[in-house]
Amino acid sequence: MIQSFNLDGKVALVTGGTHGLGMAIATGLAKAGAKIVINDVFEDKLKNAVEEYKQNGIEVAAYSFDVTKEEQVKASVAIIEEEVGGIDILVNNAGIINRTPALDMDVSDFRQVIDIDLVGPFIMSKYVGRGMVKRGSGKIINMCSMMSELGRNSVSAYASAKGGLKMLTRNLATEWAKYNVQVNGIGPGYFATSQTAPIRVDGHPFNEFIINRTPAGKWGDPSDLAGTAVFLSSQASNFVNGQVIYVDGGILATIGKPHGE
Ligand code: GCO
Ligand code: CA
C-alpha cells in the first residue's frame, strides 16, 4: 500500500506565503489538509493575503517577522508553536532577486540577497528544526531555482544564494535524517509571478527566450508546484532526503534549441 499524501492535522509554515509561488504552495498544502501559517515582513501584505486566502476558502494564521533576524525568528517560532501547534512542515520560500550586472553590483546589495535568500532559510531551519528533531519528524522544503544549477547574466548574488541553498538542503538532510526529518528542495523553472513580471512582458527578448528555452514551450503556472510540494510534505516522501526536484517544464534536461525550431 502506498504511503499517504494526506496532510490532515499537519501545521505548515510558508515564509513569504503572501503571494506568488509561496501562496500557490500554501494553497496546495491546505487542499491536502494542512493548517497553514504564513509569514511576511510587511503587515499590510499579510493582511491582504489573509483576505485573499479567505476568498479561496482557506483559513490561514499570519505572523509578521523578518526571517533574517535571529531573535525575531526564535520568538516567532515559539509563539506559533504555542498558538497553532508544532510546525510539521516548513517551506523556506521568502526571497528576493536583484538583477544587476556583477561589475556594477554594490557589495551591500549582494550581501542583502545572500542574507534573505540563504541565511534566512538557515535561521528558520535552525529554530523550526529544533522542534522537529525533538518530536522525531518534520519536513523542510527549500525554494531553490534554475540558478541553483545555472548562471545567467545579472543575477550573481541570486545564483550564489540559490546554489548555496541547494547545499544547505543536502547538509541539513545529512544532519537531521536520523531524526526522521527530511530536507528537500523545489527548483522552479520560469513561472508567471510578480517576480518575473519585469522580464515576462510581451515583446521583451527574455520572454521569447524563455518560451523557446523551455521544452514545454511556456511559462509555468504557480499551481504547477502544488503536487511536488504536497509530495515533499507528506509521508509519501519519507525516504527522499537532500534532493532538489526541478519543476521546470524540462529546462535542465536540455541544451535548448535554435531560434524558430
Ligand atoms: C532570473 C531569475 C528568476 C527566476 C527563477 C528561475 O532569471 O531573473 O532566475 O527570475 O524566476 O528563480 O528558477
Ligand atoms: Ca501536530
Side-chain angles (χ1 to χ4, degrees), residues 21 97 99 144-148 152-155 158-159 162 187-191 193 195-196 199 206 210 219 248 251:
L21 301 187
I97 191 163
R99 299 182 179 101
C144 297
S145 163
M146 293 291 92
M147 274 72 236
S148 297
R152 179 170 106 65
N153 285 344
S154 85
V155 294
Y158 186 80
K162 294 297 185 178
Y190 280 85
F191 280 75
T193 65
Q195 192 243 42
T196 57
I199 53 180
F206 197 83
I210 283 303
W219 290 81
D248 67 353
I251 291 176

Side-chain angles (χ1 to χ4, degrees), residues 75-116:
S76 302
V77 168
I79 292 167
I80 293 167
E81 300 221 305
E82 172 78 29
E83 293 181 349
V84 187
I87 298 163
D88 302 292
I89 300 154
L90 166 65
V91 183
N92 282 315
N93 163 80
I96 61 162
I97 191 163
N98 183 321
R99 299 182 179 101
T100 307
L103 289 175
D104 304 325
M105 183 94 169
D106 285 342
V107 174
S108 62
D109 290 339
F110 188 96
R111 280 208 178 98
Q112 185 195 34
V113 175
I114 301 289
D115 205 31
I116 297 173

Side-chain angles (χ1 to χ4, degrees), residues 110-192:
F110 188 96
R111 280 208 178 98
Q112 185 195 34
V113 175
I114 301 289
D115 205 31
I116 297 173
D117 293 4
L118 178 58
V119 183
F122 168 73
I123 298 173
M124 288 302 304
S125 299
K126 175 176 171 180
Y127 288 100
V128 175
R130 283 181 172 178
M132 291 176 167
V133 164
K134 210 181 290 163
R135 290 188 294 275
S137 77
K139 302 279 185 182
I140 297 177
I141 299 174
N142 290 324
M143 293 307 286
C144 297
S145 163
M146 293 291 92
M147 274 72 236
S148 297
E149 301 291 339
L150 302 169
R152 179 170 106 65
N153 285 344
S154 85
V155 294
S156 59
Y158 186 80
S160 302
K162 294 297 185 178
L165 189 57
K166 174 181 71 178
M167 286 312 300
L168 179 66
T169 302
R170 291 177 179 169
N171 213 88
L172 296 180
T174 304
E175 293 193 29
W176 297 343
K178 61 175 180 289
Y179 304 111
N180 188 35
V181 175
Q182 289 82 47
V183 186
N184 291 291
I186 293 178
Y190 280 85
F191 280 75

Side-chain angles (χ1 to χ4, degrees), residues 2-8 10-12 28-29 32-34 88-91 137-141 180-184 186 226-241 245:
I2 193 166
Q3 278 184 294
S4 177
F5 288 83
N6 198 297
L7 302 179
D8 277 342
K10 301 288 183 192
V11 173
L29 299 184
D88 302 292
I89 300 154
L90 166 65
V91 183
S137 77
K139 302 279 185 182
I140 297 177
I141 299 174
N180 188 35
V181 175
Q182 289 82 47
V183 186
N184 291 291
I186 293 178
T228 306
V230 169
F231 168 62
L232 290 178
S233 298
S234 76
Q235 286 186 34
S237 62
N238 276 357
F239 208 55
V240 179
N241 216 345
I245 300 183

